[in-house]
mmCIF file of all heavy atoms in Angstrom:
data_model
loop_
_atom_site.group_PDB
_atom_site.id
_atom_site.type_symbol
_atom_site.label_atom_id
_atom_site.label_comp_id
_atom_site.label_asym_id
_atom_site.label_seq_id
_atom_site.Cartn_x
_atom_site.Cartn_y
_atom_site.Cartn_z
ATOM 1 N N SER A 380 -44.296 129.857 -68.035
ATOM 2 C CA SER A 380 -43.457 128.581 -68.060
ATOM 3 C C SER A 380 -41.985 128.952 -68.158
ATOM 4 O O SER A 380 -41.127 128.096 -68.265
ATOM 5 C CB SER A 380 -43.860 127.737 -69.181
ATOM 6 O OG SER A 380 -43.579 128.296 -70.429
ATOM 7 N N GLY A 381 -41.620 130.228 -68.152
ATOM 8 C CA GLY A 381 -40.220 130.653 -68.104
ATOM 9 C C GLY A 381 -39.636 130.620 -66.719
ATOM 10 O O GLY A 381 -40.327 130.237 -65.768
ATOM 11 N N SER A 382 -38.401 130.972 -66.585
ATOM 12 C CA SER A 382 -37.695 130.872 -65.280
ATOM 13 C C SER A 382 -38.440 131.743 -64.188
ATOM 14 O O SER A 382 -38.786 131.252 -63.120
ATOM 15 C CB SER A 382 -36.274 131.335 -65.439
ATOM 16 O OG SER A 382 -35.624 130.592 -66.415
ATOM 17 N N ILE A 383 -38.587 133.000 -64.465
ATOM 18 C CA ILE A 383 -39.258 133.880 -63.464
ATOM 19 C C ILE A 383 -40.690 133.518 -63.385
ATOM 20 O O ILE A 383 -41.296 133.508 -62.290
ATOM 21 C CB ILE A 383 -39.130 135.390 -63.912
ATOM 22 C CG1 ILE A 383 -37.702 135.839 -63.557
ATOM 23 C CG2 ILE A 383 -40.096 136.256 -63.176
ATOM 24 C CD1 ILE A 383 -37.421 135.908 -62.079
ATOM 25 N N GLY A 384 -41.352 133.198 -64.554
ATOM 26 C CA GLY A 384 -42.757 132.829 -64.484
ATOM 27 C C GLY A 384 -43.054 131.639 -63.620
ATOM 28 O O GLY A 384 -44.056 131.599 -62.850
ATOM 29 N N GLN A 385 -42.207 130.639 -63.733
ATOM 30 C CA GLN A 385 -42.393 129.393 -62.824
ATOM 31 C C GLN A 385 -42.269 129.746 -61.421
ATOM 32 O O GLN A 385 -43.054 129.277 -60.561
ATOM 33 C CB GLN A 385 -41.386 128.346 -63.241
ATOM 34 C CG GLN A 385 -41.613 127.751 -64.615
ATOM 35 C CD GLN A 385 -40.706 126.519 -64.856
ATOM 36 O OE1 GLN A 385 -40.588 125.671 -64.009
ATOM 37 N NE2 GLN A 385 -40.082 126.481 -65.995
ATOM 38 N N GLU A 386 -41.309 130.635 -61.045
ATOM 39 C CA GLU A 386 -41.151 131.004 -59.626
ATOM 40 C C GLU A 386 -42.290 131.858 -59.158
ATOM 41 O O GLU A 386 -42.766 131.737 -58.027
ATOM 42 C CB GLU A 386 -39.797 131.721 -59.453
ATOM 43 C CG GLU A 386 -39.569 132.135 -58.018
ATOM 44 C CD GLU A 386 -39.371 130.888 -57.091
ATOM 45 O OE1 GLU A 386 -39.049 129.795 -57.582
ATOM 46 O OE2 GLU A 386 -39.620 131.061 -55.885
ATOM 47 N N ILE A 387 -42.875 132.750 -60.057
ATOM 48 C CA ILE A 387 -44.036 133.499 -59.703
ATOM 49 C C ILE A 387 -45.192 132.562 -59.334
ATOM 50 O O ILE A 387 -45.879 132.685 -58.314
ATOM 51 C CB ILE A 387 -44.470 134.416 -60.794
ATOM 52 C CG1 ILE A 387 -43.418 135.590 -60.956
ATOM 53 C CG2 ILE A 387 -45.850 135.021 -60.605
ATOM 54 C CD1 ILE A 387 -43.603 136.450 -62.158
ATOM 55 N N VAL A 388 -45.413 131.531 -60.181
ATOM 56 C CA VAL A 388 -46.463 130.555 -59.962
ATOM 57 C C VAL A 388 -46.256 129.831 -58.624
ATOM 58 O O VAL A 388 -47.157 129.699 -57.815
ATOM 59 C CB VAL A 388 -46.526 129.579 -61.099
ATOM 60 C CG1 VAL A 388 -47.490 128.417 -60.770
ATOM 61 C CG2 VAL A 388 -47.014 130.244 -62.413
ATOM 62 N N ARG A 389 -44.973 129.396 -58.375
ATOM 63 C CA ARG A 389 -44.736 128.635 -57.162
ATOM 64 C C ARG A 389 -45.041 129.466 -55.941
ATOM 65 O O ARG A 389 -45.661 128.981 -54.969
ATOM 66 C CB ARG A 389 -43.201 128.196 -57.192
ATOM 67 C CG ARG A 389 -42.905 127.263 -56.068
ATOM 68 C CD ARG A 389 -41.362 126.995 -55.947
ATOM 69 N NE ARG A 389 -40.706 128.207 -55.401
ATOM 70 C CZ ARG A 389 -40.694 128.526 -54.099
ATOM 71 N NH1 ARG A 389 -41.347 127.787 -53.207
ATOM 72 N NH2 ARG A 389 -40.028 129.580 -53.720
ATOM 73 N N GLN A 390 -44.587 130.721 -55.925
ATOM 74 C CA GLN A 390 -44.837 131.509 -54.742
ATOM 75 C C GLN A 390 -46.298 131.952 -54.591
ATOM 76 O O GLN A 390 -46.826 132.043 -53.506
ATOM 77 C CB GLN A 390 -43.941 132.781 -54.753
ATOM 78 C CG GLN A 390 -42.452 132.386 -54.535
ATOM 79 C CD GLN A 390 -41.597 133.613 -54.233
ATOM 80 O OE1 GLN A 390 -41.987 134.568 -53.648
ATOM 81 N NE2 GLN A 390 -40.322 133.522 -54.597
ATOM 82 N N ILE A 391 -47.003 132.228 -55.738
ATOM 83 C CA ILE A 391 -48.383 132.557 -55.658
ATOM 84 C C ILE A 391 -49.194 131.410 -55.029
ATOM 85 O O ILE A 391 -50.179 131.686 -54.283
ATOM 86 C CB ILE A 391 -48.928 133.000 -57.074
ATOM 87 C CG1 ILE A 391 -48.330 134.337 -57.404
ATOM 88 C CG2 ILE A 391 -50.452 133.023 -57.041
ATOM 89 C CD1 ILE A 391 -48.734 134.760 -58.795
ATOM 90 N N LEU A 392 -48.893 130.200 -55.365
ATOM 91 C CA LEU A 392 -49.619 129.079 -54.871
ATOM 92 C C LEU A 392 -49.674 129.017 -53.380
ATOM 93 O O LEU A 392 -50.622 128.517 -52.753
ATOM 94 C CB LEU A 392 -49.052 127.779 -55.462
ATOM 95 C CG LEU A 392 -49.431 127.435 -56.859
ATOM 96 C CD1 LEU A 392 -48.575 126.252 -57.373
ATOM 97 C CD2 LEU A 392 -50.878 127.097 -56.967
ATOM 98 N N GLU A 393 -48.655 129.578 -52.702
ATOM 99 C CA GLU A 393 -48.597 129.548 -51.233
ATOM 100 C C GLU A 393 -49.735 130.419 -50.648
ATOM 101 O O GLU A 393 -50.057 130.314 -49.482
ATOM 102 C CB GLU A 393 -47.260 130.096 -50.737
ATOM 103 C CG GLU A 393 -46.074 129.228 -51.205
ATOM 104 C CD GLU A 393 -44.731 129.813 -50.774
ATOM 105 O OE1 GLU A 393 -44.746 130.841 -50.050
ATOM 106 O OE2 GLU A 393 -43.729 129.243 -51.151
ATOM 107 N N TYR A 394 -50.303 131.360 -51.456
ATOM 108 C CA TYR A 394 -51.353 132.229 -50.950
ATOM 109 C C TYR A 394 -52.765 131.782 -51.327
ATOM 110 O O TYR A 394 -53.728 132.494 -51.186
ATOM 111 C CB TYR A 394 -51.068 133.651 -51.488
ATOM 112 C CG TYR A 394 -49.878 134.276 -50.875
ATOM 113 C CD1 TYR A 394 -48.619 134.139 -51.515
ATOM 114 C CD2 TYR A 394 -49.923 134.990 -49.688
ATOM 115 C CE1 TYR A 394 -47.474 134.716 -50.985
ATOM 116 C CE2 TYR A 394 -48.827 135.547 -49.143
ATOM 117 C CZ TYR A 394 -47.565 135.403 -49.728
ATOM 118 O OH TYR A 394 -46.445 136.009 -49.182
ATOM 119 N N GLU A 395 -52.829 130.592 -51.849
ATOM 120 C CA GLU A 395 -54.127 129.978 -52.138
ATOM 121 C C GLU A 395 -55.007 130.795 -53.024
ATOM 122 O O GLU A 395 -56.136 131.208 -52.589
ATOM 123 C CB GLU A 395 -54.844 129.560 -50.881
ATOM 124 C CG GLU A 395 -54.054 128.537 -50.029
ATOM 125 C CD GLU A 395 -54.802 128.145 -48.748
ATOM 126 O OE1 GLU A 395 -55.906 128.641 -48.536
ATOM 127 O OE2 GLU A 395 -54.249 127.372 -48.002
ATOM 128 N N PRO A 396 -54.591 131.114 -54.210
ATOM 129 C CA PRO A 396 -55.486 131.900 -55.136
ATOM 130 C C PRO A 396 -56.630 131.004 -55.637
ATOM 131 O O PRO A 396 -56.524 129.744 -55.564
ATOM 132 C CB PRO A 396 -54.553 132.300 -56.286
ATOM 133 C CG PRO A 396 -53.553 131.119 -56.260
ATOM 134 C CD PRO A 396 -53.310 130.797 -54.831
ATOM 135 N N ALA A 397 -57.673 131.613 -56.106
ATOM 136 C CA ALA A 397 -58.803 130.820 -56.631
ATOM 137 C C ALA A 397 -58.377 130.090 -57.872
ATOM 138 O O ALA A 397 -58.764 128.950 -58.125
ATOM 139 C CB ALA A 397 -59.972 131.776 -56.946
ATOM 140 N N ALA A 398 -57.540 130.715 -58.741
ATOM 141 C CA ALA A 398 -57.025 130.066 -59.919
ATOM 142 C C ALA A 398 -55.803 130.788 -60.418
ATOM 143 O O ALA A 398 -55.652 131.980 -60.220
ATOM 144 C CB ALA A 398 -58.084 130.146 -61.024
ATOM 145 N N ILE A 399 -54.924 129.979 -61.043
ATOM 146 C CA ILE A 399 -53.721 130.569 -61.732
ATOM 147 C C ILE A 399 -53.801 130.087 -63.169
ATOM 148 O O ILE A 399 -53.886 128.872 -63.417
ATOM 149 C CB ILE A 399 -52.398 130.106 -61.091
ATOM 150 C CG1 ILE A 399 -52.303 130.579 -59.612
ATOM 151 C CG2 ILE A 399 -51.211 130.607 -61.911
ATOM 152 C CD1 ILE A 399 -50.998 130.154 -58.968
ATOM 153 N N ARG A 400 -53.691 130.977 -64.078
ATOM 154 C CA ARG A 400 -53.639 130.664 -65.524
ATOM 155 C C ARG A 400 -52.237 130.906 -65.966
ATOM 156 O O ARG A 400 -51.720 132.062 -65.863
ATOM 157 C CB ARG A 400 -54.655 131.501 -66.292
ATOM 158 C CG ARG A 400 -56.077 131.303 -65.924
ATOM 159 C CD ARG A 400 -57.021 132.280 -66.646
ATOM 160 N NE ARG A 400 -58.383 132.190 -66.079
ATOM 161 C CZ ARG A 400 -59.388 132.970 -66.477
ATOM 162 N NH1 ARG A 400 -59.147 133.920 -67.391
ATOM 163 N NH2 ARG A 400 -60.554 132.856 -65.935
ATOM 164 N N ILE A 401 -51.585 129.888 -66.521
ATOM 165 C CA ILE A 401 -50.245 129.996 -67.036
ATOM 166 C C ILE A 401 -50.254 130.041 -68.504
ATOM 167 O O ILE A 401 -50.714 129.150 -69.212
ATOM 168 C CB ILE A 401 -49.431 128.717 -66.576
ATOM 169 C CG1 ILE A 401 -49.346 128.690 -65.022
ATOM 170 C CG2 ILE A 401 -48.036 128.684 -67.236
ATOM 171 C CD1 ILE A 401 -48.830 127.353 -64.506
ATOM 172 N N PHE A 402 -49.894 131.220 -69.005
ATOM 173 C CA PHE A 402 -50.018 131.555 -70.408
ATOM 174 C C PHE A 402 -48.626 131.589 -71.011
ATOM 175 O O PHE A 402 -47.762 132.406 -70.615
ATOM 176 C CB PHE A 402 -50.727 132.893 -70.623
ATOM 177 C CG PHE A 402 -50.927 133.382 -71.997
ATOM 178 C CD1 PHE A 402 -52.156 133.128 -72.660
ATOM 179 C CD2 PHE A 402 -49.950 134.069 -72.745
ATOM 180 C CE1 PHE A 402 -52.394 133.561 -73.951
ATOM 181 C CE2 PHE A 402 -50.129 134.422 -74.047
ATOM 182 C CZ PHE A 402 -51.381 134.208 -74.684
ATOM 183 N N SER A 403 -48.293 130.770 -72.036
ATOM 184 C CA SER A 403 -47.036 130.766 -72.667
ATOM 185 C C SER A 403 -47.129 130.048 -73.953
ATOM 186 O O SER A 403 -48.074 129.245 -74.233
ATOM 187 C CB SER A 403 -45.908 130.218 -71.823
ATOM 188 O OG SER A 403 -45.979 128.785 -71.759
ATOM 189 N N ARG A 404 -46.025 130.135 -74.800
ATOM 190 C CA ARG A 404 -46.053 129.432 -76.066
ATOM 191 C C ARG A 404 -45.215 128.199 -75.961
ATOM 192 O O ARG A 404 -45.089 127.464 -76.975
ATOM 193 C CB ARG A 404 -45.486 130.293 -77.194
ATOM 194 C CG ARG A 404 -44.044 130.803 -76.933
ATOM 195 C CD ARG A 404 -43.613 131.747 -78.054
ATOM 196 N NE ARG A 404 -42.152 132.077 -77.907
ATOM 197 C CZ ARG A 404 -41.560 132.892 -78.709
ATOM 198 N NH1 ARG A 404 -42.146 133.449 -79.724
ATOM 199 N NH2 ARG A 404 -40.239 133.167 -78.481
#
């Protein structure tokens, strides 16, 4: 949920992963 983490999630979604788990405090 941080700056780089959010962008990682956004770009990974373009590759249609089975699941993305976002881990943060």
Side-chain angles (χ1 to χ4, degrees):
S380 64
S382 304
I383 284 291
Q385 290 190 49
E386 183 62 25
I387 289 173
V388 171
R389 189 188 71 78
Q390 292 194 28
I391 287 176
L392 282 169
E393 298 176 5
Y394 291 91
E395 299 181 0
I399 299 180
R400 299 174 188 175
I401 298 168
F402 182 96
S403 76
R404 63 183 183 180

